[in-house]
Amino acid sequence: MLSGLVFYLLKPFGLPRGFNVVTVILVLVAYTLITGLRTSSLRATIMATLLLSATLFDRRALSVNSLAAAALLILVCDTNQLFAPGFQFSFTLVFIIIVLAAPLQRWFDQFAQPDPFLPRLLWSLPVKCRAWCWHKFSVALGVILASWIGSLLFVAGYFHLFSPGSIVANFLAVPVAFAVLSLGLCSVLTALVSLKITALFNNANWFVAQMMLSVLHHSANLPNGYIYVENPHTLHPPKCELTILDLGEGGAAHVRAGRIDWLLDCGDDSHYNHTVLPYLRSRGINCLDGLLFTHGSARHIGAAVTTIGDFHPALLAESTLSDRSSTRRKLHQWLVQQRRGKGLYLRGDIIRLGDDVRMRVLYPPAGLKRTAAGDMALVLQLETGHTRALLMSASGFSTEQWLLENEPDLRSDILIKGQHSKDLSGTPNFLARVAPKMIVCGALGYGQPVSTLDAWEADATAQGITVFRQDKAGAVHIDIREEGYEARAFLGGQTFRSRAR
């Protein structure tokens, strides 16, 4: 774009071609320096310099050779660029455009050509206009489709996006972007003559830039304009997947059974935006089948409204017991305004996620009286095949004691527990009844002594239990299969494999 603009501005002066070429190269170098030496700008500048320099020496300019030379020069300066997404994306995209754009353009061009046996001299004016317009459209469409095809792998791999709407966005935004660049260049040139004219160009540029943002916004909101996709897996998918995200004192867990996705809690706004949302997008989740709130703590459900808006869960679920949480009260008011219903669960209820995957509600019972929200948190036992996982949320000592007294079968292979802000959890008696092989333990709250957790971990390890501490392991992913289960920490490389009971 910039090369074409500068050539167009220099043409009326009748200067030698060599002088024009050198001037364009100097402008491109200056532009690249001003914009921060980005990989895409460097690649384009080096390619343009090689292509333009070829004309100075009466040599044929080859696009692929120039692209390879640009890549070589960048890698000579910094070999680490080979592993940078920007480098990979930029050079692959341009290579695909060079290879595919012309064939695509020729294929589209044939649909508006007049009778091939009619000589061009006999074409009428309407026929010429139609053929010219369609040819320009075919050229643009060929480049846009080639760039979209070239970007598919990287957009899906790095951003987990498949976006057919970007074809429409590029078709409309590229001409507007050219207008933005043109007005910017005019603003720079007229600054030497008149500040009033410069201000006029700047205001026009602002208007066109807003137009481009509007085009991109509406293109992104096209029906099915984009969907999130997950990177393919080589292994056969497990019966059930359980991912416990590391949200500090908050909590969120993702349960997948086949094609069914449930989210248990969602964290507060900060943790949701930085951890939960990127994770769910990376798993290719566009809509949730269920969103369950264990209790009213802001650290667990503070981002509930945002989560509902982003993923439109088919079912909302929570306990029938009310607590004094202002966060939960505001959520209920919002749900009433949206006329959105929810499922209410108590002890004995079962949430079925698949043919052989279910979550059984162990706690709380009807009529329970507690003061703290954490003491009324839902306790779930996930069962699939011969494997059980007990999800305690942020339950404390009183909940564990109630379960010991009222639940005859707490045995579970996996125990997932958060940290009660004002109470003990994971007591020896409780661990003895549950008899887990592994425990995923949430991080302590701010200011709580780590030595307490160290001592608890040592006691659990002495009983032969593998402990995943999320302050060290980060998020933990568990694959449950018919023959057993495997847990992997996102940090530190800790793993655990076991056969089901």
Side-chain angles (χ1 to χ4, degrees), residues 267-282:
D268 56 23
D269 285 323
S270 176
H271 283 109
Y272 172 78
N273 290 319
H274 289 93
T275 303
V276 179
L277 178 62
Y279 164 77
L280 293 177
R281 295 308 193 196
S282 72

Side-chain angles (χ1 to χ4, degrees), residues 470-492:
Q470 292 198 280
D471 56 341
K472 299 177 181 179
V476 179
H477 179 82
I478 304 171
D479 286 334
I480 304 176
R481 303 178 184 275
E482 189 68 40
E483 64 275 13
Y485 57 93
E486 177 183 355
R488 301 187 307 274
F490 277 66
L491 300 177

